[in-house]
Amino acid sequence: MLNRSSIIFLVVVAVGFSIGIIAAIYSLNDHSVVDSAPTKTVKSSKPEPTNNQESQETPLPTKFVLKVPFYVQAPFAVWDELHGEACEEASLHMVRDYYRKTTLDLEGQDQQILNFIHWQQDNGYKVDLTLSQLASAAKKYYQFGGAEILENPTIDEIKREVLAGRPVIVPAAGRLLDNPNFRTPGPIYHMLVIKGFDKTGFITNDPGTRNGEGFHYSYQNLYQSIHNWDPIEITNGAKAVLVYQR
């Protein structure tokens, strides 16, 4: 006959065994999953295609060129200190007049550059302008808004901006640019406008030379030269471009 201690022991074992069976049954019915590490969700910037849209982007043409007016930063070939630093203003004016459907003669180009630079000097802007500073000055002086700075754009993204009718203003480390028309050693900082492309490169309006209309840069050369203004080391400048959403 079992004594009291033995009975208590058997009851404890039986209760424990029952609890184990119940827990096992519950776990089989529980479909939740706990990952060992959290999953990072990255949302695409591209909209989901509708039923009538292709899931892939439209293929790019092999050649496309916008009709952007061409201005030299020194319209009368007077390469003094002021005109030698006017590539930002000339580039901005080419894009602005493209949207205005206006083309100025040499005298008008020169006066436009001089007026804009003198206003900048009176309002605290420095000689070399970053893309954001150029856009700020243009908005304040001309009420020319709609600027958008694209950071780290791909070559195809730049081409698609042009294809959409938006010329692209590009800041560059000038001495990396393969342009034989520049005076040696070339500008430390430069700015130009991409207005088209073909199979081998970008078609630009480069205000740094009278031969800059439709000047062709290879994709590799122009892309590696893209650097926003950095006063310490130009090649440390961010890879960014400026477009206007008009």
Side-chain angles (χ1 to χ4, degrees):
M1 185 173 180
L2 295 176
N3 59 30
R4 184 177 179 183
S5 297
S6 299
I7 293 172
I8 293 173
F9 174 77
L10 291 174
V11 170
V12 170
V13 170
V15 170
F17 182 75
S18 299
I19 292 174
I21 293 175
I22 292 170
I25 294 172
Y26 178 81
S27 66
L28 289 173
N29 292 325
D30 183 7
H31 299 292
S32 64
V33 177
V34 179
D35 292 332
S36 59
T39 301
K40 182 178 181 180
T41 301
V42 179
K43 294 183 179 180
S44 172
S45 61
K46 299 178 182 179
E48 291 293 330
T50 64
N51 293 334
N52 296 324
Q53 291 177 318
E54 294 292 336
S55 60
Q56 297 181 345
E57 290 184 294
T58 305
L60 291 162
T62 56
K63 184 174 182 178
F64 183 82
V65 185
L66 295 173
K67 293 182 179 180
V68 179
F70 172 65
Y71 298 157
V72 185
Q73 64 192 73
F76 293 106
V78 179
W79 290 92
D80 54 16
E81 185 176 353
L82 186 150
H83 289 91
E85 299 287 346
C87 57
E88 297 101 316
E89 291 75 18
S91 295
L92 185 280
H93 289 143
M94 284 190 274
V95 172
R96 176 174 175 265
D97 286 353
Y98 160 79
Y99 285 115
R100 295 172 65 210
K101 296 180 171 56
T102 301
T103 302
L104 299 179
D105 59 17
L106 293 179
E107 184 175 350
Q109 295 173 35
D110 197 45
Q111 195 60 54
Q112 186 170 244
I113 287 173
L114 292 173
N115 291 344
F116 193 27
I117 290 178
H118 290 154
W119 178 86
Q120 292 175 51
Q121 293 172 340
D122 293 339
N123 287 272
Y125 289 88
K126 298 187 181 298
V127 173
D128 294 302
L129 301 175
T130 64
L131 292 178
S132 61
Q133 289 167 345
L134 179 62
S136 170
K139 186 173 183 180
K140 292 176 182 177
Y141 185 70
Y142 288 119
Q143 291 74 55
F144 184 47
E148 181 175 319
I149 295 174
L150 307 179
E151 297 183 344
N152 297 311
T154 65
I155 289 175
D156 274 1
E157 286 172 339
I158 294 174
K159 291 164 74 173
R160 290 189 184 281
E161 288 296 324
V162 174
L163 192 61
R166 296 186 287 266
V168 179
I169 297 177
V170 176
R175 294 178 181 176
L176 297 180
L177 292 169
D178 289 336
N179 193 325
N181 299 295
F182 291 163
R183 294 179 181 177
T184 304
I188 294 175
Y189 182 54
H190 192 49
M191 203 169 280
L192 51 88
V193 177
I194 295 176
K195 67 175 184 178
F197 56 86
D198 60 18
K199 290 182 178 180
T200 59
F202 288 116
I203 299 169
T204 73
N205 275 357
D206 190 326
T209 165
R210 63 182 180 180
N211 300 315
E213 184 172 12
F215 191 86
H216 189 278
Y217 287 102
S218 71
Y219 288 122
Q220 180 181 5
N221 177 241
L222 183 52
Y223 190 75
Q224 73 176 3
S225 301
I226 297 176
H227 291 283
N228 208 356
W229 173 242
D230 185 299
I232 298 175
E233 172 53 57
I234 184 58
T235 55
N236 288 336
K239 190 173 293 295
V241 298
L242 173 64
V243 295
Y244 278 85
Q245 304 292 340
R246 309 294 289 176

